């Protein structure tokens, strides 16, 4: 059955992978991101393949703009079946006592508060009709801190806790909550973290075959299409030669 899937941070990486995979699954998509032109390009790509796409350009950190966008959805798009809270980022690898306060604020506002905003805006209508699925993109970083990860790891630990808490809150309904925890995924994640230092970012993936955004999207689509009585609560997804957030064997 065709679903309406809302994906935040859909212009690159895991978000873009999810957009393409849910489109391949025959679903219709509401795609959000900060870059209008990138959203337009993705919309054209997917519509050319027969997918219905609605794009919304806003930053999940901007609660008021997010509220206007979601509350202003056309009636035919207002029933969201799957919310993929993907928008997120990491900035810097400095020790906690040398961290950049502005970068911390950006991570907290995006990874935690942005997720909460979208959850608060979308989930009530799921509860009202007793149907829906929330897929949060967490991280292996939420399981244990690694050197330099401090605040980013804390935000992803929060994603796990918020996912667990929401799952408890909706346990009396038919709504499902999934926390996906990727390990090393080759996207523009490291370019953002290192402020555009492509060479430094590339070194992170040397000597190992990392995951791709599509790999994570495959799991998201599987979780969303599991039988109604099956809730894929949490999945840790690692590259074959990665054992944890800090143990990576390079060959």
């Amino acid at each position: 059955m065709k679903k309406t899937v809302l994906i935040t941070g859909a212009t690159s990486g895991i978000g873009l992978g999810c957009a393409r995979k849910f489109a391949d699954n025959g679903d219709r998509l509401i795609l959000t991101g900060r870059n209008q032109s990138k959203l337009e390009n993705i919309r054209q790509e997917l519509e050319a393949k027969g997918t219905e796409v609605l794009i919304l350009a806003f930053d999940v950190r901007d609660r008021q703009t997010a509220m206007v966008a979601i509350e202003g959805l056309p009636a035919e798009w207002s029933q969201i079946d799957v919310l993929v809270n993907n928008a997120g980022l990491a900035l810097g690898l400095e020790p906690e006592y040398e961290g950049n306060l502005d970068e911390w604020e950006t991570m907290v506002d995006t990874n935690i508060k942005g997720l909460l905003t979208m959850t608060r805006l979308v989930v009530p209508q799921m509860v009202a009709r007793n149907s829906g699925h929330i897929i949060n993109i967490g991280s292996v970083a939420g399981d244990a801190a690694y050197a330099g990860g401090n605040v980013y790891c804390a935000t992803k630990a929060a994603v796990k806790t918020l996912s667990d808490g929401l799952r408890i809150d909706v346990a009396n309904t038919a709504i499902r909550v999934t926390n996906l925890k990727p390990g090393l995924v080759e996207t523009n994640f490291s370019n953002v973290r290192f402020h555009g230092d492509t060479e430094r970012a590339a070194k992170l993936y040397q000597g190992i075959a990392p995951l791709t955004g599509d790999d994570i999207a495959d799991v998201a689509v599987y979780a969303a299409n599991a039988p109604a009585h099956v809730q894929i609560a949490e999945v840790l997804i690692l590259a074959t030669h990665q054992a944890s957030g800090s143990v990576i064997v390079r060959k």
Side-chain angles (χ1 to χ4, degrees):
M1 182 177 177
K2 180 183 291 189
K3 299 182 180 71
T4 298
V5 182
L6 191 158
I7 304 168
T8 67
T11 57
S12 65
I14 294 171
L16 179 55
C18 284
R20 288 170 172 159
K21 292 289 184 175
F22 276 104
D24 289 344
N25 191 59
D27 298 314
R28 61 206 300 258
L29 305 176
I30 303 172
L31 305 180
T32 86
R34 293 176 295 171
N35 190 309
Q36 177 79 34
S37 62
K38 286 184 179 180
L39 287 170
E40 287 284 0
N41 290 339
I42 296 164
R43 179 182 63 79
Q44 291 176 20
E45 171 196 331
L46 297 179
E47 284 185 342
K49 298 178 181 180
T51 303
E52 293 180 78
V53 181
L54 177 70
I55 59 173
L56 301 172
F58 65 87
D59 190 329
V60 294
R61 294 179 296 171
D62 187 338
R63 183 170 61 188
Q64 188 61 40
T65 303
M67 186 180 302
V68 170
I70 300 304
E71 293 181 352
L73 283 169
E76 65 271 23
W77 288 94
S78 61
Q79 181 173 307
I80 296 165
D81 300 298
V82 181
L83 168 63
V84 181
N85 276 317
N86 166 73
L89 77 168
L91 294 169
L93 272 172
E94 294 78 18
E96 193 169 322
Y97 58 86
E98 294 178 350
N100 183 300
L101 291 167
D102 290 335
E103 291 182 350
W104 291 355
E105 186 171 15
T106 297
M107 285 188 282
V108 169
D109 286 352
T110 305
N111 300 357
I112 301 176
K113 293 167 68 176
L115 178 147
L116 282 169
T117 294
M118 295 304 298
T119 299
R120 182 65 181 84
L121 290 173
V122 173
V123 175
Q125 49 102 344
M126 293 181 174
V127 173
R129 68 174 193 275
N130 194 36
S131 175
H133 195 155
I134 302 92
I135 300 176
N136 292 331
I137 306 299
S139 172
V140 63
D143 287 346
Y146 55 76
N150 43 73
V151 174
Y152 173 69
C153 293
T155 66
K156 290 304 183 177
V159 171
K160 172 179 169 50
T161 305
L162 292 171
S163 300
D164 291 346
L166 180 60
R167 196 177 303 111
I168 292 167
D169 291 337
V170 299
N172 64 324
T173 75
I175 297 167
R176 301 183 291 185
V177 181
T178 299
N179 180 26
L180 299 185
K181 304 188 300 184
L184 195 64
V185 184
E186 188 168 12
T187 64
N188 69 339
F189 175 89
S190 293
N191 279 333
V192 172
R193 177 171 232 167
F194 301 136
H195 307 289
D197 187 338
T198 304
E199 184 177 346
R200 185 181 180 191
K203 288 180 180 178
L204 189 65
Y205 308 109
Q206 289 178 353
I208 186 171
L211 302 169
T212 68
D214 285 352
D215 294 327
I216 311 307
D218 282 334
V219 182
V221 172
Y222 172 80
N225 289 278
H229 70 286
V230 177
Q231 179 171 213
I232 309 298
E234 186 171 286
V235 183
L236 175 64
I237 310 146
L238 302 175
T240 298
H241 295 293
Q242 180 176 14
S244 69
S246 57
V247 178
I248 298 172
V249 178
R250 303 177 190 278
K251 301 191 175 186

